[in-house]
């Protein structure tokens, strides 16, 4: 193999690692420690908690058994979470329902992020079934991060 080809392959092999370091905030400069680079916040993290549920129930649905938070039909489900670092983010809570053995989109709910990085909101309990909620963190309309899934059942 020619030396030039070896050099090209080495550069191509290093490219994913370099991108990962930059996107994880380890690229140096102003992007460390929650700063900004050219006015764009570094990648953020988001947490999500659904509140006001009854005891967890074990449900086999959509291909596996999971522990679900239980909510009564006709009620309201409250949620809250935090965004790190605090900044000019937007949050959208995505809901997915188990239908036909797979999770399908079941709507979304927006939430405002406070100056301290917290957010909260409510949504009406959907029809009886099993669901999951996941918060999406966005900046300038682009998705930056997602929370872990929180599974819940409406009965």
């Amino acid at each position: 193999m020619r030396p030039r080809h070896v050099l090209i392959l080495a550069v191509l092999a290093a490219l994913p690692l370099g991108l990962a370091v930059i996107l994880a905030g380890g690229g140096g400069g102003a992007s460390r420690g929650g700063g900004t680079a050219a006015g764009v916040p570094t990648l953020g993290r988001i947490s999500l908690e659904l509140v006001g549920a009854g005891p967890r129930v074990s449900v086999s649905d959509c291909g596996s058994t999971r522990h679900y938070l239980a909510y009564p039909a006709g009620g309201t489900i409250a949620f809250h979470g935090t965004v790190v670092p605090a900044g000019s983010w937007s949050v959208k809570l995505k809901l997915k329902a188990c239908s036909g053995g797979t999770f399908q989109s079941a709507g979304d709910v927006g939430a405002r992020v406070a100056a301290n990085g917290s957010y909260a909101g409510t949504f009406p309990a959907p029809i009886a079934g099993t669901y999951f909620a996941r918060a999406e963190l966005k900046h300038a309309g682009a998705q930056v991060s997602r929370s872990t899934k929180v599974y819940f059942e409406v009965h």
Side-chain angles (χ1 to χ4, degrees):
M1 187 176 279
R2 294 183 178 165
R4 182 179 70 194
H5 293 137
V6 171
L7 178 62
I8 290 171
L9 289 174
V11 169
L12 290 175
L15 187 59
L17 179 60
L19 285 173
V21 168
I22 291 169
L23 291 175
S31 65
R32 287 197 174 165
T36 62
V40 177
T42 59
L43 295 178
R45 293 178 311 215
I46 185 167
S47 68
L48 171 64
E49 184 178 346
L50 299 183
V51 295
R56 287 188 178 267
V57 293
S58 184
V59 177
S60 293
D61 211 356
C62 274
S64 64
T65 300
R66 297 180 180 92
H67 295 287
Y68 286 73
L69 297 170
Y71 291 92
T76 299
I77 300 174
F79 63 91
H80 65 83
T82 57
V83 175
V84 176
S88 59
W89 305 102
S90 64
V91 172
K92 186 171 281 190
L93 188 72
K94 297 283 192 168
L95 303 174
K96 298 224 175 179
C98 182
S99 175
T102 61
F103 283 101
Q104 306 292 326
S105 179
D108 54 63
V109 179
R112 291 185 183 249
V113 180
N116 67 359
S118 66
Y119 70 92
T122 62
F123 60 94
I127 63 172
T130 54
Y131 300 84
F132 77 76
R134 175 183 272 173
E136 292 184 347
L137 182 62
K138 296 185 176 193
H139 178 71
Q143 181 180 314
V144 175
S145 184
R146 296 188 306 186
S147 72
T148 59
K149 296 174 183 175
V150 178
Y151 294 92
F152 67 99
E153 176 188 47
V154 177
H155 52 87

